[in-house]
Structures are given as C-alpha cells and as structure tokens.
Amino acid sequence: MDVILPKNFFGTDGIRGRVGEDPITPEFFMHLGYSAGKVLVSDDRYLTKDKRPAALIGKDTRISGYMLESALEAGLSAAGVDVLLTGPMPTPGVAYLTCALRLQAGIVISASHNSFEDNGIKFFSSSGNKLSDKTEKNIEAGLSAPLIPVSSAHLGKARRVNDAPGRYIEFCKSAFPYHLDLHGMRIVVDCAHGAAYHIAGHVLHELGADVVLIGAEPDGLNINQEYGATHSATIQQAVKKHKADIGIALDGDGDRLIMADNKGQIYDGDQLVCIIAKHRQNDDSLNGGVVGTLMTNLAIENYYKKSGIPFTRAKVGDRYVLELLQEKGWELGGEGSGHIICLDKHSTGDGIISALQVLHAMKDANKTLAELLRGVALYPQQLINIKITKGFDFLAIKSVKAAQIKAENNLEKKGRVLIRESGTEPLVRVMVEGESKQKVNHWAEYISNILRKEINL
C-alpha cells in the first residue's frame, strides 16, 4: 500500500507530534524505517563487509515507545538493515553509541520535553551528527513508495545492546578531568522521569558526589510531568529541601540542562555556556568563540564583548548552533532552553556532559554559580507565544512590522525585539528584552495584541 505524505516532513529537530495522529503512527514509522533503510542500503558509504548496514534505535520512557520501536524495527529489517536496540537511552547516548559501535545510523524515538501523549523521532549519521537536509529529503522522497521487503535471505536482524547504559556512563565520566572528583558535593539530579533515569545519577555518584536522585521513576506516563528542565520550581525546591550544593535538571531525552545553586537560583543554558566559556578562556582552552542564538540575552553578549570572547548568533535550534560552530571551527555554543554543545567532548548537545563542564569550572575556581557569573545581570526578557494556523504569514502584516519598529525605537540601543515562528509548534513567538522591565512587558503585550487582532480578522 502506498503512503502519500506532505513534503518537508522533518522539522528543526526531527519529526514530532501527537501519538495516534499522523505522522506518529505505527504505519508511518514502519514506512519511515523502510525508507531510511533503503537510503542506507543504496549508499556505498554505509555498506559493511557483509553488505548489510546497521542502525541503532534508542528511546525515552514514553509508553508509546514500545509500539513505535517495533514498527520502526520492522521497516528497517524489511529494507535489509540490521537493528541494534538499547531500550531507554538519552539522545546524546544514542549519538555516542552509533559512533562507538561503528554503525551507519542512530535513531531516537522521543518527543524531548513534551508530555507523554506526544512522541517523535530523530536521526543521527554514522559520525554522531544529525542528518543533513539532503539525506532527510532523500528519506522523505521514499515515503510514498510501496513497502516491498527484500528477500528473506537479506532481511535485517535485530539484537539488544545489553551494556549500552554502562558504555555511555563511562563516556560521560571521561568528559570530567581525571585529576578532579566531586567528593564533598551534594547534588540533586532531576531526570524528568525520562531517558537518563538510570544514567545521570550513576555518572555523578561514580565521580564522588553525594547524589539525591529525583524524577527517576518512569512509568511510561509521567515523563516531564512536574519534573525536569521545563519545571524549574521542582529542582529549586529539592535543592533547598536536601540542603544540596547544586541542582541539575535534565529533560525527557537528556540533551537539555538547567541548574540551580544552593539558594535555589536557576541558571539557564546561556548562563551556563557563559560559565564554561569564561573558565575555558581562563585556562586557555577556549577554541575560537561562542555561538548563541537569536534568543540569547543581550547582557550575555555584552559580557562576552567586555571579556574579549568572540560571539555570534545562530537561528533558534541546536542544529543551527551546531552548523555555525562547524562553519567557524569553534567548539562551544548553546541556547537558553538548555541545549549546550561542547564539540571537544561530544558531537551533539548532552545535558550530563554539559553539567560536568560547569562542575569542572566550579571545582577549579572553588566558587558557586553566582560567584562565577558575577557581573552578568540579565536584562528583563518577556516571551509571549501566540497560536497561528498553518501558512499564516505574519511577516507580511504591515501593522506588526510597524509595531516592532515602534518598540525598537523606544528601546533605542538598550533592548531588542524578535518576532519569529516556532520550528516545532504552530506558534509565533514575540520576544522583547531591555533594561526596563516595565518597558519590556509593555511592548511585548503591545505587539502581541496587534498580532492576535490580525489573526482573528
């Protein structure tokens, strides 16, 4: 049976949606696995000695992962691709294992920080990087073709990678200096009931920390529910309750990070990147500069300028941060949401490894997060999300553009206005920042109200 699907199916972070609704269905995942498998089989670079490529499948803890994993495995096998299964594994863990096991592709079934009703899929190449636009288009091009399995003798086989968690734990530990340890530190780790529930605590404990583990009891339905990087109040309260030195909160697939200090103060991805960058500058290990995004707080950019650290902005999305890092030959970048990339440690963003870089800075300087960020006072920033229908061209609305110009003129050079479409959801995001909180809130609401009015016309 043929499957007819829309073009440009891959978003900025793979494919994501509500389980049971197109495209997050078993039928689609089987066809997607088959199409991806055919791309691997047809590319001479991906052929192994016995002429059969292999792909790794990991997932987070959503109950729908069982169903989608089986469908994806069937599609890959039908295309003649061997499949290795890790079970629950953080997204960066899949990227690492794909490289370590010399496989041709890595696949993660996850909807990241979304609730359990959603799910999605991300692909990694043999080098541990996200697929190129060209490869994604090649996979999309085969989605409408009939699923015709290869001959029985050439069907792919499947097996479990039983030591996957242990391998990844050791890899994470290797990102922390051998001459240092975490003895004497009490650390609360919030795993969001997600893929890092059996990983993160072991990494920090084996490095010497006194670990308090929360959000580590997944039941298939509670991923990201009141825990994790998108629920900062939980880690704030836990740090105070357990009298911890630091708190680490990951998201459902383990590639996003926020941290809390001993007073419960939250530090986002941009602030943590700033700490890492300054530490590396001090020990002469900062290669080039730092890549942020259009959403990076202006105070962070100003701090980099004063410190003599080169800085540039990418579009919002970790894949764009990565692309700009590779283009410039730099190693460090990230975004406020908590995606942090340290290319000298890993090929992709990794919440655990990023946390270890911050802990390294704290240990070397014997300072708290607040002390390491002294002199960096973030500008007030207001972000308002507005739902839109597909195809709504907000950039063509003259009244919205006029409102943006009016706000920018009022803020002068002491603030910014950014209006952009979300890469993963049907939303327009209006962001205003500046020195005056009152002005920031006023102009964010002013622009948003004009947008809402235009949408409802």
Side-chain angles (χ1 to χ4, degrees), residues 271-296:
Q271 292 171 295
L272 299 177
V273 169
C274 191
I275 288 172
I276 298 170
K278 190 62 180 176
H279 175 242
R280 292 187 175 194
Q281 183 189 46
N282 290 339
D283 68 7
D284 203 27
S285 63
L286 179 65
N287 182 12
V290 175
V291 173
T293 73
L294 296 173
M295 296 295 288
T296 298

Side-chain angles (χ1 to χ4, degrees), residues 50-82:
D50 62 356
K51 302 297 181 183
R52 193 200 308 271
L56 185 77
I57 300 177
K59 61 182 179 179
D60 62 26
T61 56
R62 294 162 216 270
I63 193 168
S64 58
Y66 295 98
M67 172 181 71
L68 299 174
E69 177 187 58
S70 297
L72 184 64
E73 177 192 336
L76 287 164
S77 177
V81 176
D82 285 342

Side-chain angles (χ1 to χ4, degrees), residues 84-361:
L84 286 75
L85 303 166
T86 69
M89 178 61 55
T91 290
V94 172
Y96 160 68
L97 289 167
T98 300
C99 295
L101 296 173
R102 308 300 190 267
L103 304 176
Q104 286 65 60
I107 307 172
V108 184
I109 300 171
S110 173
S112 190
H113 61 281
N114 291 27
S115 62
F116 83 95
E117 295 95 343
D118 294 341
N119 216 327
I121 189 167
K122 307 176 188 180
F123 286 83
F124 288 99
S125 68
S126 57
S127 60
N129 292 312
K130 292 183 178 179
L131 295 185
S132 66
D133 289 337
K134 180 180 178 181
T135 302
E136 287 181 349
K137 287 179 180 177
N138 287 339
I139 293 173
E140 284 188 7
L143 285 172
S144 59
L147 197 162
I148 303 174
V150 298
S151 65
S152 295
H154 295 94
L155 290 170
K157 301 176 182 178
R159 67 178 176 87
R160 290 274 170 191
V161 185
N162 294 319
D163 61 347
R167 284 173 177 259
Y168 179 51
I169 288 169
E170 290 303 314
F171 172 68
C172 290
K173 287 165 55 183
S174 72
F176 193 75
Y178 287 107
H179 68 279
L180 292 178
D181 60 54
L182 299 175
H183 287 291
M185 291 191 76
R186 170 169 283 192
I187 303 176
V188 177
V189 184
D190 181 354
C191 298
H193 296 305
Y197 78 97
H198 59 324
I199 302 286
H202 288 294
V203 171
L204 295 163
H205 175 72
E206 291 178 22
L207 289 173
D210 174 13
V211 177
V212 178
L213 200 59
I214 64 174
E217 298 178 4
D219 61 10
L221 308 178
N222 60 359
I223 188 170
N224 298 312
Q225 184 178 358
E226 304 301 328
Y227 284 86
T230 54
H231 297 279
S232 58
T234 302
I235 193 70
Q236 286 179 303
Q237 294 165 6
V239 166
K240 295 177 182 178
K241 175 183 177 181
H242 296 284
K243 295 181 173 55
D245 299 293
I246 200 87
I248 295 170
L250 307 171
D251 68 339
D253 72 328
D255 65 355
R256 182 182 292 200
L257 165 75
I258 64 167
M259 297 179 75
D261 65 15
N262 59 336
K263 296 180 180 179
Q265 176 66 41
I266 293 295
Y267 297 82
D268 69 12
D270 284 325
Q271 292 171 295
L272 299 177
V273 169
C274 191
I275 288 172
I276 298 170
K278 190 62 180 176
H279 175 242
R280 292 187 175 194
Q281 183 189 46
N282 290 339
D283 68 7
D284 203 27
S285 63
L286 179 65
N287 182 12
V290 175
V291 173
T293 73
L294 296 173
M295 296 295 288
T296 298
N297 197 282
L298 189 58
I300 298 286
E301 179 177 2
N302 292 340
Y303 179 78
Y304 285 138
K305 287 179 181 178
K306 291 178 182 178
S307 301
I309 297 175
F311 174 78
T312 190
R313 295 177 186 269
K315 291 191 295 184
V316 175
D318 59 320
R319 75 178 297 160
Y320 301 117
V321 173
L322 177 60
E323 288 173 0
L324 196 49
L325 283 173
Q326 292 171 332
E327 178 185 318
K328 288 185 165 292
W330 296 355
E331 293 175 343
L332 180 62
E335 50 186 350
S337 63
H339 289 117
I340 299 173
I341 300 173
C342 304
L343 286 181
D344 60 322
K345 304 297 181 183
H346 202 344
S347 62
T348 190
D350 188 312
I352 298 173
I353 286 177
S354 298
L356 292 176
Q357 305 315 296
V358 177
L359 292 171
H360 181 189

